[in-house]
Amino acid sequence: MVSTGQPSSRLVTAVQQITLSSSDSDYLLQLIPVIKEVSQTRRVEELINVLNQLSTEKNGEIENICNSNHQEFVDSVQQLLTVREGTMSTATEVMEVQDGMQASVQKLAEAKKALVDSRSVRENIDEATEALDSCLEVLRLANQVHELLAKKRHYAALRALDELRNVHLREISRYKLADMIEKSVPATQRLIADAVMNDLNTWLYRIREASQYLGEVAFYHTEMRRSRLKQRVEDDENLRKFKLNSAIELVADETDEFDILNNEETETQVDFTPLFECMHIYETLGRMDHFKSEYAATRRRQKELLIPTTVNLLDEEEADLSSLLESISGFAIIERATMRKTDNFRAPVDVDELWDSMCQSAIALISNALHTVDNDEKLLKIKGRISLFIQTMDSWSYSTSSLQSLVLVIFDKYSQILKERFSEDFQEIVATDDYMPMPITSMDEYNKVVNVSWYTPEKDPSKLKFPCVLPFSQMYPLCCIDIRNFLNQIYLFADDQFQRSAVIDETLQHSLDELLCEKVCQSLIQRLSSQYPGQIVQILTNFEHFETACLELQTLLYEARASTHASGPVVLKALERFRTGKKTAEKRIFELVNSKIDDLVETAEYEWLSTTAPEEPSLYMQELTRYLSVNMNSVLLGLPTEIKELIYFDALSHAANMILALPLDANVRRITPSATKTLAQDVHFLSQFVESLGNPILKENLDELVQTVALMQTSDPDEFFDVSQANKKYGRVDRTNGAILLEKVREGAVVASNPVLSSSNAAFAALGSRFGINRS
């Protein structure tokens, strides 16, 4: 439906506004909303009418303008036509120029396109070249890693690999080559780790092979330190108490620098570079714990290879033992040096465990082979090597207590061998001795004997006349020599290189006691069964000197005692044994003297019923006094005065008792005055002999005998039964014995006063004597 009314003012205004647009685009932009609006309101015809109306108005305006300016318009049209012609020609020219330009532009576009295409290709080529160069650089670095690895430059190879991985692979990360190389990095790292570990194993093998020589050099260095210390002690006695490895010795030895691991003189050089490089690489790889465990396992295996299955201790040069100890020493020195040169790489407990294991293995080998050694000199050499080993390892701060115990085991065997050898020597000395005072022919010989024996001469040596004799027999100085040798050889074991302990002192004392008690004292005691008083006297003299020797030995052992914790004096059991032996010898002398006295008294032939008395003392009494005189002045001459007097005292006492027992015999029932006179004459003879000895004490032994014989001769027997008189004259006479003898004398007097009875008794006595019958 088309509207025929007047257009709205709003629509007219909008159309007028549109006509005022400055350009077609602006015109259309304003017209479009109006068209949309009228289309929606169904007023299109109204818009067309407005536009037509507006067009008519404008045409009218144009016509009016043209009518008023017609001529000018004609002229203008003419001008415009002229201009149009020129414009047409110009347009033709322009079209021609445009066609030329269009052809040129087309060519230029084609050239530009070709240029753009070539530039793109060039950029691609440049990019490809750059990528290729980067990949080639990566490949070069990868190859360089393997080249460095082949040249044993492991750390440089690891650094190059690290640079390749962290820097260069990032530049080509978009290429597959980067992935391939990235995947090969762990394998390359393992190659580097294996290569450096192989080099380390080679180094470990070489130092294991060189361990023995390194230990030999260490022993040499210790011996040099010993020599320097000995020289310093000789120069200054105050340094004697400072031993090897003491603080004073270490300070004094600082001026003599000696690097065991690197020394031109001994041609030793232990380079730890392979170990350091391996540690650095494994630490860089983050596998340090794995490397520590592998290294520790390798060293444990090498330690096992170091220890032999057996060791020969009988070799004259101790080659096996030296090789074993030097190898252990070199191995342990490397371990300690490794621990000192690194930080937390080798745990002290691991190093000490290896050391303890090697020590226990060495101790077991040596202990198992000790039974083959039966020579004390060989044991000294073995101990010397072990002591050198101990002192060497002490300087490297290793514990050597187990080795010290081994030395004590060796000492025990050493002392046993010495004891067996000296036992044989002592037995031979005791068995071959002549048990006579030792003769000396010269002052030189005298000095030698005195120097080796614990003997203090009673006389000034300058006043001696040779030849002379010493109180002891030759066994005493020979035993003294053996004792001194035994002590020296024991102390030779405990020299400056090995400090003596309480065990050594106790072993020495015990062994010395055993030798003196069982091999000397017991042997001498066994020889006391001899029937020769002279031999017994010499044994007793020897006992006295051995007693003196024991006292001296006690002092010597006390002063030489090594243990500072031991208290109290040194007491040798042998001292008491020799004292007991001396008493046994004295008793044996008493037994022999008294036995001889018994034999002599038993030969007495008193005629208790005789009527006549001989003018001379009885033969047995003469023999008895002669025996006592000779025995004391010859056989017992070597005894000390107090012992001789004691023997005299006991012998005289025994003789008096035996003589007194003769008339007291139960078979003697009567004693005639003549028999009493004979007995009195013998007793007087004995009394005079004792008086000639000049010792009143000895004479007192005969008081009972003399007073008893005087009682038998008394004319007033009643005095004996009067206490006051008896105490004065017969104080020593036994009351019972006196009464018995008085009764026998009284009956004898009766017999003597009857000649017939006396003669018959005499005849019977003669007959009894013939047939061995005694009847008084």
Side-chain angles (χ1 to χ4, degrees):
M1 177 175 181
V2 180
S3 177
T4 58
Q6 292 298 319
S8 65
S9 61
R10 183 176 177 274
L11 186 60
V12 173
T13 302
V15 172
Q16 289 177 351
Q17 187 68 29
I18 290 171
T19 58
L20 294 177
S21 300
S22 59
S23 63
D24 292 343
S25 61
D26 188 25
Y27 175 83
L28 291 175
L29 290 175
Q30 294 184 34
L31 180 60
I32 290 171
V34 176
I35 294 172
K36 289 181 177 180
E37 182 181 356
V38 295
S39 64
Q40 292 176 354
T41 59
R42 299 181 182 274
R43 297 173 65 188
V44 176
E45 290 295 335
E46 185 178 356
L47 176 61
I48 293 173
N49 291 332
V50 172
L51 289 174
N52 288 333
Q53 184 180 352
L54 181 60
S55 176
T56 301
E57 290 179 357
K58 291 299 180 183
N59 288 331
E61 290 178 358
I62 292 171
E63 186 177 353
N64 290 330
I65 293 171
C66 291
N67 289 330
S68 61
N69 297 301
H70 179 75
Q71 188 60 44
E72 293 177 359
F73 181 73
V74 172
D75 294 337
S76 297
V77 170
Q78 187 64 39
Q79 289 177 354
L80 285 173
L81 289 174
T82 304
V83 171
R84 182 179 180 184
E85 290 178 359
T87 301
M88 290 299 292
S89 61
T90 301
T92 302
E93 291 178 358
V94 169
M95 289 300 294
E96 292 176 355
V97 171
Q98 183 179 357
D99 291 339
M101 288 181 63
Q102 187 174 358
S104 298
V105 168
Q106 186 175 358
K107 292 180 180 179
L108 181 61
E110 293 176 353
K112 183 178 181 180
K113 181 180 180 182
L115 178 60
V116 170
D117 291 340
S118 63
R119 183 175 296 172
S120 176
V121 171
R122 189 182 65 184
E123 288 178 355
N124 290 338
I125 292 174
D126 290 343
E127 184 178 353
T129 302
E130 184 179 355
L132 183 61
D133 289 341
S134 298
C135 292
L136 289 175
E137 179 64 18
V138 169
L139 287 175
R140 185 188 67 79
L141 289 175
N143 290 332
Q144 185 182 19
V145 171
H146 290 277
E147 290 174 359
L148 291 172
L149 192 59
K151 294 178 180 178
K152 305 293 184 181
R153 298 175 60 186
H154 306 108
Y155 184 70
L158 186 63
R159 297 304 301 167
L161 182 64
D162 185 64
E163 181 182 354
L164 174 66
R165 183 181 187 182
N166 297 323
V167 178
H168 297 283
L169 284 184
R170 293 180 180 179
E171 298 175 358
I172 62 169
S173 59
R174 61 184 180 277
Y175 304 118
K176 290 184 178 181
L177 178 64
D179 293 337
M180 295 174 61
I181 294 178
E182 180 70 27
K183 292 178 181 179
S184 70
V185 167
T188 306
Q189 288 178 337
R190 285 194 298 271
L191 285 176
I192 295 174
D194 292 342
V196 74
M197 181 58 77
N198 289 335
D199 285 354
L200 180 65
N201 288 334
T202 302
W203 178 76
L204 287 172
Y205 173 78
R206 289 175 179 172
I207 64 171
R208 181 175 71 83
E209 292 295 314
S211 291
Q212 181 179 348
Y213 181 67
L214 185 63
E216 184 180 348
V217 172
F219 285 7
Y220 166 77
H221 176 50
T222 303
E223 288 179 342
M224 293 299 99
R225 290 173 57 204
R226 282 181 178 179
S227 300
R228 291 193 292 270
L229 178 61
K230 182 179 179 181
Q231 183 61 46
R232 286 193 289 269
V233 170
E234 291 177 355
D235 296 339
D236 186 357
E237 284 293 326
N238 295 326
L239 297 177
R240 183 173 296 278
K241 59 183 178 180
F242 300 108
K243 305 302 179 182
L244 204 68
N245 293 323
S246 64
I248 297 297
E249 186 274 333
L250 292 175
V251 170
D253 210 55
E254 283 182 345
T255 55
D256 297 288
E257 296 183 359
F258 189 92
D259 189 355
I260 294 176
L261 300 176
N262 293 282
N263 189 273
E264 295 182 358
E265 180 183 354
T266 57
E267 298 181 357
T268 55
Q269 184 175 7
V270 180
D271 185 7
F272 285 85
T273 301
L275 175 62
F276 298 152
E277 184 181 22
C278 198
M279 290 174 58
H280 195 48
I281 287 176
Y282 271 85
E283 186 174 7
T284 304
L285 294 175
R287 300 176 60 192
M288 193 61 183
D289 292 338
H290 172 74
F291 174 61
K292 286 181 180 180
S293 62
E294 284 292 322
Y295 184 88
T298 301
R299 291 300 278 170
R300 283 193 293 270
R301 289 192 297 270
Q302 287 189 328
K303 181 266 297 181
E304 296 298 332
L305 296 174
L306 201 69
I307 306 299
T309 56
T310 59
V311 62
N312 180 18
L313 298 181
L314 299 180
D315 182 17
E316 292 185 0
E317 300 298 329
E318 292 82 40
D320 273 15
L321 179 61
S322 296
S323 176
L324 172 63
L325 298 181
E326 288 167 358
S327 297
I328 293 176
S329 176
F331 188 94
I333 288 173
I334 291 293
E335 283 297 295
R336 187 67 79 194
T338 302
M339 193 173 73
R340 292 176 179 177
K341 289 178 179 290
T342 57
D343 186 17
N344 296 326
F345 175 63
R346 293 291 284 151
V349 63
D350 292 337
V351 174
D352 292 337
E353 182 181 354
L354 281 178
W355 165 252
D356 292 338
S357 176
M358 290 188 294
C359 285
Q360 293 303 322
S361 298
I363 290 171
L365 287 173
I366 295 172
S367 299
N368 292 336
L370 267 181
H371 71 278
T372 62
V373 183
D374 57 0
N375 182 275
D376 56 294
E377 293 182 0
K378 172 61 68 176
L379 286 175
L380 275 179
K381 292 180 180 179
I382 293 172
K383 168 260 172 184
R385 298 306 295 176
I386 296 176
S387 296
L388 183 62
F389 176 58
I390 290 173
Q391 289 183 323
T392 300
M393 301 322 294
D394 275 343
S395 64
W396 286 89
S397 303
Y398 280 107
S399 172
T400 57
S401 57
S402 59
L403 295 168
Q404 298 283 4
S405 300
L406 173 64
V407 175
L408 290 178
V409 171
I410 296 174
F411 171 75
D412 184 63
K413 184 174 181 64
Y414 175 79
S415 62
Q416 288 295 331
I417 291 176
L418 284 181
K419 189 165 64 174
E420 291 174 3
R421 195 182 79 194
F422 280 94
S423 293
E424 296 175 359
D425 290 346
F426 281 129
Q427 286 178 336
E428 183 178 357
I429 290 171
V430 174
T432 58
D433 191 38
D434 58 3
Y435 295 97
M436 296 290 290
M438 185 175 182
I440 300 296
T441 59
S442 65
M443 179 59 74
D444 184 52
E445 183 180 356
Y446 174 84
N447 290 332
K448 288 180 180 179
V449 172
V450 172
N451 289 334
V452 299
S453 306
W454 286 281
Y455 170 63
T456 302
E458 296 179 358
K459 295 183 179 180
D460 187 352
S462 62
K463 297 180 179 179
L464 290 175
K465 294 182 179 181
F466 299 97
C468 65
V469 293
L470 296 178
F472 42 77
S473 64
Q474 64 179 2
M475 70 157 289
Y476 175 68
L478 291 177
C479 287
C480 289
I481 292 174
D482 266 9
I483 291 171
R484 291 182 185 274
N485 288 337
F486 182 75
L487 293 176
N488 290 335
Q489 295 205 36
I490 291 292
Y491 288 140
L492 185 63
F493 190 95
D495 53 13
D496 291 339
Q497 284 74 47
F498 177 74
Q499 302 306 309
R500 299 198 303 276
S501 67
V503 175
I504 292 182
D505 292 330
E506 292 171 3
T507 303
L508 174 59
Q509 181 177 341
H510 177 74
S511 299
L512 193 58
D513 250 339
E514 186 175 340
L515 287 172
L516 292 175
C517 291
E518 297 183 4
K519 305 305 175 182
V520 179
C521 185
Q522 189 61 34
S523 297
L524 291 176
I525 290 175
Q526 291 174 357
R527 289 189 169 270
L528 291 178
S529 61
S530 172
Q531 298 298 321
Y532 299 100
Q535 188 173 9
I536 306 302
V537 169
Q538 190 60 61
I539 291 175
L540 188 147
T541 303
N542 289 347
F543 272 135
E544 283 195 328
H545 286 87
F546 276 115
E547 182 182 347
T548 303
C550 286
L551 291 171
E552 295 290 340
L553 281 172
Q554 288 181 165
T555 303
L556 188 150
L557 293 176
Y558 177 81
E559 294 175 351
R561 186 159 52 189
S563 176
T564 57
H565 302 290
S567 60
V570 175
V571 178
L572 289 174
K573 296 178 182 178
L575 176 61
E576 188 60 33
R577 289 288 297 274
F578 281 119
R579 287 174 175 171
T580 304
K582 185 174 70 171
K583 293 178 181 178
T584 304
E586 291 175 0
K587 292 180 181 178
R588 181 58 180 160
I589 293 174
F590 294 155
E591 289 176 1
L592 290 177
V593 172
N594 292 340
S595 176
K596 182 63 175 177
I597 291 173
D598 291 344
D599 293 340
L600 291 174
V601 173
E602 286 177 1
T603 63
E605 297 179 352
Y606 286 108
E607 296 291 342
W608 300 111
L609 299 177
S610 65
T611 57
T612 59
E615 296 181 359
E616 297 291 334
S618 302
L619 290 176
Y620 89 92
M621 183 57 69
Q622 296 180 29
E623 288 294 330
L624 176 61
T625 55
R626 186 181 300 110
Y627 167 75
L628 292 175
S629 176
V630 172
N631 197 47
M632 292 299 175
N633 294 324
S634 60
V635 178
L636 305 181
L637 181 62
L639 291 176
T641 303
E642 62 273 12
I643 296 179
K644 285 193 295 184
E645 291 180 352
L646 183 61
I647 292 174
Y648 252 130
F649 188 87
D650 184 78
L652 291 173
S653 178
H654 183 71
N657 291 333
M658 292 298 294
I659 294 172
L660 185 59
L662 292 176
L664 288 172
D665 192 299
N667 295 323
V668 179
R669 300 187 179 186
R670 302 177 183 86
I671 301 175
T672 64
S674 297
T676 301
K677 182 179 180 182
T678 302
L679 178 61
Q681 183 174 308
D682 290 342
V683 171
H684 179 70
F685 182 79
L686 178 61
S687 179
Q688 286 184 329
F689 167 74
V690 173
E691 189 175 357
S692 67
L693 297 177
N695 190 337
I697 297 176
L698 296 178
K699 192 175 181 180
E700 291 178 0
N701 279 341
L702 303 180
D703 285 350
E704 182 181 5
L705 177 61
V706 171
Q707 290 180 12
T708 300
V709 172
L711 176 62
M712 293 172 65
Q713 291 179 305
T714 184
S715 58
D716 187 8
D718 293 335
E719 290 181 342
F720 180 71
F721 299 101
D722 184 353
V723 176
S724 61
Q725 294 293 328
N727 288 336
K728 293 180 180 179
K729 299 178 65 176
Y730 312 111
R732 300 291 298 274
V733 178
D734 184 88
R735 308 304 294 176
T736 302
N737 292 340
I740 292 172
L741 291 175
L742 284 176
E743 181 61 26
K744 290 183 179 184
V745 170
R746 186 186 64 78
E747 291 183 4
V750 173
V751 173
S753 63
N754 190 340
V756 177
L757 181 60
S758 177
S759 61
S760 65
N761 284 335
F764 184 81
L767 184 63
S769 176
R770 179 179 179 184
F771 292 101
I773 300 173
N774 185 11
R775 180 180 179 184
S776 298

